[in-house]
Amino acid sequence: MQYVWPHPKRPLVYVASSNGGPGRTGDRHHLSAFGVATNSGALTAHGKPQALPSRPIHFCLDRLGAYALTAYNNPSMMTVHRLHEDGTIGAAVPQPAGLDAGIYAHQVLVTPSNRAAILVARGNDAAGDKPEDPGALKLLGFADGVLTNRASIAPGGGYGFGPRHLDFHPSKPFVFVSIERQNQLQVFGLGPDDALTPEPLFVASTLADPAHVKPRQLAGGIHVPPNGRLVSVSNRSHPLADFNGQMP
C-alpha cells in the first residue's frame, strides 16, 4: 500500500498499491476503490482496480471527487483517472505531450480552487560523480481532467531546494512545503489565479540543532488541520540508523 485518499462526498476510500519499493521496480501497480461500511468501517471492493504504469508514490482526488491524480517518481510522471458517478474508477484521461513532471516527483495536490494542481518534484542530492538534480514545484493547469504546464517554482534554480510534500492553509493564501533534502519548512503565497510566489515568504528549520545532526534527518509529510492554527511536519531519521541514532 502506497497511499490512501477518501472520497469528498461518498463513503469510499481509494488506495494506490504496488509490489515495488525503494530499490525494486515491481510489476504490479494498481489504483483501487473500496466502500466503507457506516457502522463497522469494513471495506469492500468497489468496482475493478485500474492498472498503473509504475509504482505510485502519491495520489489525490480533486476537490469534487471526479478525478484521481497520481504521481510517480521513477520515471517522474503523472496520470489522471476519471471517476464515474458511482465512484468507481474509470480509464486514464489522455494528457498532452511534454507535461513537465520535474525530477523525482513525490506528491501531487489539487489547489483549493480546483483549477490547478501542484506536483512536488524533490530532485536528488549529489552523489559521487553525479551532480545534484534540482527540485521544483510544478504548477499545472487542471480542467476536465487534463493537466497543462503553467509554471515551475524553483528558488535558486532548484539547487539547494528539495521539496517533498505540501499542504494548503484552509482559509488563507498560503502553501506550506516540507523541504526534505534541506530539512526546512517553507511557506509560499498562493494568488487568486493559483500562481505561486517565486520565492518563499518564510523559512524555518525542522531541526532542533542543525549544526549537530547525526544521523542525517529528512523532512517528510506535512499537514495543516481544518482550523489552520498549526502546521505538523514529520522528520525522519536516516533509514540505516538504529534506535539510538547510530549508523551501522
Short mmCIF file of all heavy atoms in Angstrom, two decimals, residues 155-185:
data_model
loop_
_atom_site.label_atom_id
_atom_site.label_comp_id
_atom_site.label_asym_id
_atom_site.label_seq_id
_atom_site.Cartn_x
_atom_site.Cartn_y
_atom_site.Cartn_z
N PRO A 155 13.29 28.09 -6.50
CA PRO A 155 14.24 29.09 -5.97
C PRO A 155 15.68 28.63 -6.16
O PRO A 155 16.01 27.46 -5.96
CB PRO A 155 13.87 29.16 -4.48
CG PRO A 155 12.43 28.73 -4.43
CD PRO A 155 12.30 27.69 -5.50
N GLY A 156 16.53 29.56 -6.59
CA GLY A 156 17.93 29.20 -6.82
C GLY A 156 18.11 28.23 -7.96
O GLY A 156 19.11 27.50 -7.99
N GLY A 157 17.17 28.22 -8.90
CA GLY A 157 17.24 27.25 -9.99
C GLY A 157 16.92 25.84 -9.54
O GLY A 157 17.14 24.89 -10.30
N GLY A 158 16.42 25.68 -8.31
CA GLY A 158 16.09 24.36 -7.78
C GLY A 158 17.24 23.69 -7.06
O GLY A 158 17.06 22.63 -6.46
N TYR A 159 18.43 24.32 -7.07
CA TYR A 159 19.58 23.75 -6.36
C TYR A 159 19.52 24.18 -4.90
O TYR A 159 19.27 25.35 -4.59
CB TYR A 159 20.87 24.21 -7.02
CG TYR A 159 21.01 23.67 -8.42
CD1 TYR A 159 20.67 24.46 -9.53
CD2 TYR A 159 21.46 22.37 -8.64
CE1 TYR A 159 20.77 23.95 -10.82
CE2 TYR A 159 21.56 21.85 -9.93
CZ TYR A 159 21.22 22.65 -11.01
OH TYR A 159 21.30 22.15 -12.29
N GLY A 160 19.71 23.22 -4.00
CA GLY A 160 19.51 23.51 -2.58
C GLY A 160 18.04 23.64 -2.24
O GLY A 160 17.68 24.25 -1.24
N PHE A 161 17.16 23.04 -3.07
CA PHE A 161 15.71 23.11 -2.88
C PHE A 161 15.15 21.74 -3.20
O PHE A 161 15.00 21.38 -4.37
CB PHE A 161 15.11 24.17 -3.80
CG PHE A 161 13.61 24.33 -3.68
CD1 PHE A 161 13.03 24.89 -2.55
CD2 PHE A 161 12.79 23.93 -4.73
CE1 PHE A 161 11.65 25.04 -2.46
CE2 PHE A 161 11.40 24.08 -4.65
CZ PHE A 161 10.85 24.65 -3.52
N GLY A 162 14.87 20.94 -2.16
CA GLY A 162 14.41 19.57 -2.36
C GLY A 162 13.07 19.32 -1.70
O GLY A 162 13.01 18.66 -0.66
N PRO A 163 11.95 19.84 -2.25
CA PRO A 163 10.65 19.68 -1.60
C PRO A 163 10.12 18.26 -1.67
O PRO A 163 10.39 17.53 -2.63
CB PRO A 163 9.76 20.65 -2.41
CG PRO A 163 10.37 20.66 -3.77
CD PRO A 163 11.87 20.54 -3.53
N ARG A 164 9.35 17.86 -0.67
CA ARG A 164 8.76 16.52 -0.64
C ARG A 164 7.23 16.57 -0.66
O ARG A 164 6.60 15.92 -1.47
CB ARG A 164 9.23 15.76 0.60
CG ARG A 164 8.66 14.34 0.69
CD ARG A 164 9.05 13.66 1.99
NE ARG A 164 8.45 12.34 2.12
CZ ARG A 164 9.04 11.20 1.80
NH1 ARG A 164 10.27 11.21 1.34
NH2 ARG A 164 8.43 10.04 1.96
N HIS A 165 6.63 17.31 0.28
CA HIS A 165 5.17 17.37 0.39
C HIS A 165 4.74 18.81 0.64
O HIS A 165 5.52 19.63 1.16
CB HIS A 165 4.67 16.50 1.54
CG HIS A 165 4.49 15.06 1.18
ND1 HIS A 165 3.83 14.17 1.99
CD2 HIS A 165 4.85 14.35 0.09
CE1 HIS A 165 3.82 12.97 1.43
NE2 HIS A 165 4.45 13.06 0.28
N LEU A 166 3.46 19.09 0.33
CA LEU A 166 2.90 20.41 0.64
C LEU A 166 1.48 20.25 1.15
O LEU A 166 0.84 19.20 0.99
CB LEU A 166 2.95 21.33 -0.58
CG LEU A 166 2.16 20.97 -1.84
CD1 LEU A 166 0.67 21.32 -1.73
CD2 LEU A 166 2.74 21.68 -3.05
N ASP A 167 0.96 21.33 1.76
CA ASP A 167 -0.43 21.39 2.15
C ASP A 167 -0.86 22.85 2.10
O ASP A 167 -0.02 23.76 2.16
CB ASP A 167 -0.65 20.80 3.55
CG ASP A 167 -2.09 20.35 3.77
OD1 ASP A 167 -2.92 20.48 2.84
OD2 ASP A 167 -2.40 19.87 4.88
N PHE A 168 -2.18 23.06 2.01
CA PHE A 168 -2.74 24.40 1.88
C PHE A 168 -3.36 24.86 3.19
O PHE A 168 -3.94 24.07 3.93
CB PHE A 168 -3.82 24.42 0.79
CG PHE A 168 -3.33 23.99 -0.56
CD1 PHE A 168 -3.52 22.69 -1.00
CD2 PHE A 168 -2.69 24.89 -1.40
CE1 PHE A 168 -3.07 22.28 -2.25
CE2 PHE A 168 -2.24 24.49 -2.65
CZ PHE A 168 -2.43 23.18 -3.07
N HIS A 169 -3.24 26.17 3.47
CA HIS A 169 -3.99 26.73 4.59
C HIS A 169 -5.47 26.71 4.23
O HIS A 169 -5.83 26.98 3.09
CB HIS A 169 -3.52 28.16 4.88
CG HIS A 169 -4.02 28.68 6.19
ND1 HIS A 169 -5.30 29.18 6.35
CD2 HIS A 169 -3.41 28.79 7.40
CE1 HIS A 169 -5.46 29.56 7.61
NE2 HIS A 169 -4.34 29.32 8.27
N PRO A 170 -6.36 26.38 5.18
CA PRO A 170 -7.78 26.24 4.84
C PRO A 170 -8.48 27.54 4.48
O PRO A 170 -9.52 27.52 3.81
CB PRO A 170 -8.38 25.62 6.10
CG PRO A 170 -7.45 26.01 7.20
CD PRO A 170 -6.08 26.03 6.58
N SER A 171 -7.94 28.70 4.90
CA SER A 171 -8.66 29.95 4.63
C SER A 171 -7.76 31.09 4.16
O SER A 171 -8.26 32.10 3.68
CB SER A 171 -9.42 30.40 5.89
OG SER A 171 -8.51 30.61 6.98
N LYS A 172 -6.45 30.93 4.28
CA LYS A 172 -5.52 32.00 3.88
C LYS A 172 -4.71 31.56 2.67
O LYS A 172 -4.54 30.37 2.42
CB LYS A 172 -4.61 32.38 5.05
CG LYS A 172 -5.36 32.94 6.26
CD LYS A 172 -4.41 33.36 7.35
CE LYS A 172 -5.16 33.85 8.58
NZ LYS A 172 -5.97 35.06 8.28
N PRO A 173 -4.18 32.51 1.90
CA PRO A 173 -3.47 32.16 0.65
C PRO A 173 -2.02 31.73 0.88
O PRO A 173 -1.08 32.34 0.38
CB PRO A 173 -3.54 33.47 -0.14
CG PRO A 173 -3.50 34.53 0.90
CD PRO A 173 -4.29 33.98 2.06
N PHE A 174 -1.85 30.65 1.64
CA PHE A 174 -0.52 30.15 1.96
C PHE A 174 -0.41 28.68 1.58
O PHE A 174 -1.33 27.89 1.78
CB PHE A 174 -0.20 30.32 3.44
CG PHE A 174 -0.21 31.74 3.92
CD1 PHE A 174 -0.93 32.09 5.05
CD2 PHE A 174 0.49 32.73 3.23
CE1 PHE A 174 -0.94 33.40 5.51
CE2 PHE A 174 0.47 34.04 3.68
CZ PHE A 174 -0.25 34.38 4.81
N VAL A 175 0.77 28.31 1.07
CA VAL A 175 1.10 26.92 0.78
C VAL A 175 2.31 26.55 1.62
O VAL A 175 3.37 27.19 1.52
CB VAL A 175 1.42 26.72 -0.72
CG1 VAL A 175 1.73 25.26 -1.00
CG2 VAL A 175 0.25 27.20 -1.58
N PHE A 176 2.18 25.52 2.45
CA PHE A 176 3.25 25.09 3.35
C PHE A 176 3.95 23.89 2.71
O PHE A 176 3.30 22.91 2.34
CB PHE A 176 2.68 24.70 4.71
CG PHE A 176 2.00 25.84 5.42
CD1 PHE A 176 0.67 26.14 5.17
CD2 PHE A 176 2.70 26.63 6.32
CE1 PHE A 176 0.03 27.20 5.81
CE2 PHE A 176 2.08 27.69 6.97
CZ PHE A 176 0.75 27.98 6.71
N VAL A 177 5.27 23.97 2.60
CA VAL A 177 6.05 22.96 1.88
C VAL A 177 7.13 22.39 2.79
O VAL A 177 7.93 23.16 3.36
CB VAL A 177 6.69 23.55 0.61
CG1 VAL A 177 7.39 22.45 -0.18
CG2 VAL A 177 5.64 24.26 -0.26
N SER A 178 7.17 21.07 2.94
CA SER A 178 8.29 20.44 3.65
C SER A 178 9.43 20.23 2.66
O SER A 178 9.23 19.68 1.58
CB SER A 178 7.87 19.12 4.30
OG SER A 178 7.61 18.14 3.32
N ILE A 179 10.61 20.72 3.01
CA ILE A 179 11.79 20.63 2.15
C ILE A 179 12.64 19.48 2.69
O ILE A 179 13.39 19.64 3.65
CB ILE A 179 12.58 21.95 2.13
CG1 ILE A 179 11.64 23.13 1.85
CG2 ILE A 179 13.69 21.88 1.10
CD1 ILE A 179 10.94 23.08 0.50
N GLU A 180 12.50 18.31 2.07
CA GLU A 180 13.13 17.10 2.60
C GLU A 180 14.65 17.22 2.66
O GLU A 180 15.26 16.97 3.70
CB GLU A 180 12.76 15.90 1.74
CG GLU A 180 13.48 14.62 2.16
CD GLU A 180 13.19 13.46 1.24
OE1 GLU A 180 12.02 13.09 1.09
OE2 GLU A 180 14.16 12.92 0.66
N ARG A 181 15.26 17.56 1.55
CA ARG A 181 16.72 17.47 1.45
C ARG A 181 17.43 18.53 2.28
O ARG A 181 18.60 18.38 2.63
CB ARG A 181 17.15 17.55 -0.01
CG ARG A 181 16.65 16.37 -0.83
CD ARG A 181 17.33 16.28 -2.19
NE ARG A 181 16.94 17.33 -3.11
CZ ARG A 181 17.75 18.22 -3.67
NH1 ARG A 181 19.05 18.21 -3.38
NH2 ARG A 181 17.30 19.12 -4.51
N GLN A 182 16.74 19.63 2.61
CA GLN A 182 17.36 20.70 3.39
C GLN A 182 16.75 20.82 4.79
O GLN A 182 17.08 21.74 5.53
CB GLN A 182 17.24 22.04 2.66
CG GLN A 182 18.15 22.17 1.45
CD GLN A 182 17.67 21.35 0.26
OE1 GLN A 182 16.48 21.24 -0.01
NE2 GLN A 182 18.62 20.76 -0.47
N ASN A 183 15.82 19.93 5.16
CA ASN A 183 15.21 19.94 6.49
C ASN A 183 14.64 21.32 6.83
O ASN A 183 15.03 21.94 7.83
CB ASN A 183 16.22 19.50 7.56
CG ASN A 183 16.61 18.04 7.41
OD1 ASN A 183 15.80 17.15 7.64
ND2 ASN A 183 17.85 17.82 7.00
N GLN A 184 13.71 21.76 6.01
CA GLN A 184 13.10 23.07 6.21
C GLN A 184 11.59 23.00 6.01
O GLN A 184 11.06 22.12 5.34
CB GLN A 184 13.67 24.10 5.23
CG GLN A 184 15.13 24.45 5.44
CD GLN A 184 15.63 25.44 4.39
OE1 GLN A 184 14.99 25.66 3.37
NE2 GLN A 184 16.79 26.02 4.64
N LEU A 185 10.92 23.99 6.60
CA LEU A 185 9.54 24.30 6.29
C LEU A 185 9.55 25.64 5.57
O LEU A 185 10.08 26.62 6.09
CB LEU A 185 8.70 24.40 7.57
CG LEU A 185 7.30 25.03 7.42
CD1 LEU A 185 6.42 24.18 6.53
CD2 LEU A 185 6.67 25.25 8.78
#
